[in-house]
Amino acid sequence: WCNKPITGEFVTIDMKPYHLDCYSNNVEGKCSICNQPLTDEYQVDVYGNKFCTSHSILDKCDNCGRLICNMLTNGGVTYKDGRHICNICYKKAIFKESEIKGLLFKVMDKLVFMGINLKKECVSIEAVNKTELKVIANMEKFNALEGFCYSGSAKYISGKLKKTLFTHKIYVLNGIPALSLEFIIAHELMHAWLAENTASKHPPDEIEGSCNYISYLYLLNSTDPEVKFYIKRMELNSDPVYGRGYLKIKKSFQSKPLSALLDFLKNS
């Protein structure tokens, strides 16, 4: 490493010798938080940050999953609903209703282009905190909840035709970055599409897996550099419904046009 002669003790890695100091300071991995050599067991997050296992007691960002500390995130904030948000995410957090509504229409336009058609006048959106979201969804014990779609319908007669009018209210978490909101909105819009287009009941892993798969396809069209980390977190999600369900749908339909998945959901 330093190109100086080696005398005394040394370490050989991949057939290359290093002074002990050179190895410790330059070759051996160091903790991203305390900057000490990683000589014992350590962990790695999806962003490639390596850290001593002892640091895992730190709060994790409820949005991106990073450990909240000065070295990785320049600290963070705690919302009134108990969420911990790192300063990387907080700087990009969106609270304004007009901006959130703009994101809804942005996502809807992209989904329509993909073949998932919904009428804008039939979909509304509201940002709430985590406590409110759990109550609205009647899922107080599900801490990973990020969004919820309530769909209602009414039958009416237009001329000689009997029609069903659907309305959808999407709830999303407030105070998170635009990309996170778009991911959640895409997922919940797929729930809205399912309510309008499927009569049969699919198991939860197929429903949530399909909704997450739509979010995945949506992310593929984004130029945001954070996209790869969102996708990686999806791939590593071990939840049997949201994680493995997504991998199940992806494995079955990734090599096929999206219409194949939509037909499967409509007709099976």
Side-chain angles (χ1 to χ4, degrees):
W1 181 269
C2 66
N3 293 321
K4 294 181 181 179
I6 292 180
T7 58
E9 293 185 88
F10 64 92
V11 177
T12 300
I13 302 293
D14 295 331
M15 306 289 291
K16 296 179 180 180
Y18 297 91
H19 295 111
L20 294 182
D21 286 344
C22 288
Y23 173 74
S24 177
N25 294 327
N26 302 295
V27 180
E28 185 179 42
K30 288 191 175 183
C31 175
S32 299
I33 296 175
C34 66
N35 203 38
Q36 295 300 308
L38 293 167
T39 54
D40 298 317
E41 290 185 7
Y42 62 90
Q43 298 180 30
V44 184
D45 64 19
V46 297
Y47 299 90
N49 296 309
K50 300 177 182 179
F51 53 90
C52 306
T53 301
S54 60
H55 296 312
S56 59
I57 62 172
L58 294 170
D59 291 327
K60 279 187 177 181
C61 177
D62 281 281
N63 182 65
C64 70
R66 293 181 178 94
L67 291 180
I68 298 177
C69 59
N70 287 333
M71 290 296 290
L72 296 184
T73 66
N74 194 30
V77 299
T78 300
Y79 290 168
K80 291 181 179 180
D81 59 6
R83 279 181 292 160
H84 303 289
I85 304 294
C86 74
N87 276 333
I88 294 174
C89 292
Y90 185 65
K91 288 180 179 178
K92 298 182 285 185
I94 292 178
F95 295 91
K96 291 183 179 180
E97 182 180 338
S98 59
E99 293 183 34
I100 294 170
K101 188 174 182 179
L103 290 176
L104 170 66
F105 292 156
K106 173 185 176 182
V107 177
M108 289 190 75
D109 286 340
K110 287 191 176 182
L111 292 191
V112 168
F113 180 78
M114 292 164 58
I116 300 172
N117 297 300
L118 292 163
K119 296 179 179 179
K120 289 182 178 179
E121 62 270 22
C122 296
V123 184
S124 60
I125 192 167
E126 181 179 348
V128 295
N129 65 38
K130 176 65 74 74
T131 304
E132 293 169 330
L133 182 61
K134 288 182 178 182
V135 173
I136 290 167
N138 194 24
M139 299 174 69
E140 284 86 346
K141 295 182 179 180
F142 186 43
N143 199 49
L145 191 65
E146 296 179 321
F148 179 72
C149 178
Y150 174 79
S151 295
S153 62
K155 297 184 182 296
Y156 69 99
I157 298 176
S158 176
K160 295 182 179 180
L161 297 176
K162 292 183 178 180
K163 295 184 179 181
T164 300
L165 176 66
F166 288 90
T167 57
H168 311 283
K169 178 68 176 286
I170 291 176
Y171 297 91
V172 295
L173 287 174
N174 60 12
I176 57 178
L179 187 62
S180 295
L181 286 169
E182 291 174 47
F183 175 89
I184 297 167
I185 291 169
H187 179 105
E188 300 307 330
L189 284 172
M190 186 57 183
H191 275 295
W193 183 91
L194 286 166
E196 290 195 17
N197 293 278
T198 60
S200 60
K201 290 189 176 181
H202 291 268
D205 64 331
E206 288 183 357
I207 294 173
E208 300 299 344
S210 296
C211 292
N212 264 358
Y213 183 63
I214 295 304
S215 292
Y216 161 76
L217 294 179
Y218 179 87
L219 288 178
L220 290 181
N221 294 317
S222 174
T223 58
D224 193 310
E226 287 279 308
V227 160
K228 60 183 179 182
F229 302 118
Y230 279 73
I231 292 176
K232 191 170 184 178
R233 289 201 297 273
M234 290 177 67
E235 304 288 336
L236 295 175
N237 187 347
S238 60
D239 185 272
V241 174
Y242 291 85
R244 279 179 261 163
Y246 155 70
L247 293 176
K248 171 185 172 181
I249 294 296
K250 182 181 178 184
K251 181 179 180 181
S252 298
F253 293 98
Q254 188 175 27
S255 61
K256 302 174 183 178
L258 178 58
S259 58
L261 172 60
L262 302 183
D263 289 340
F264 164 75
L265 294 170
K266 284 181 179 179
N267 302 317
S268 63

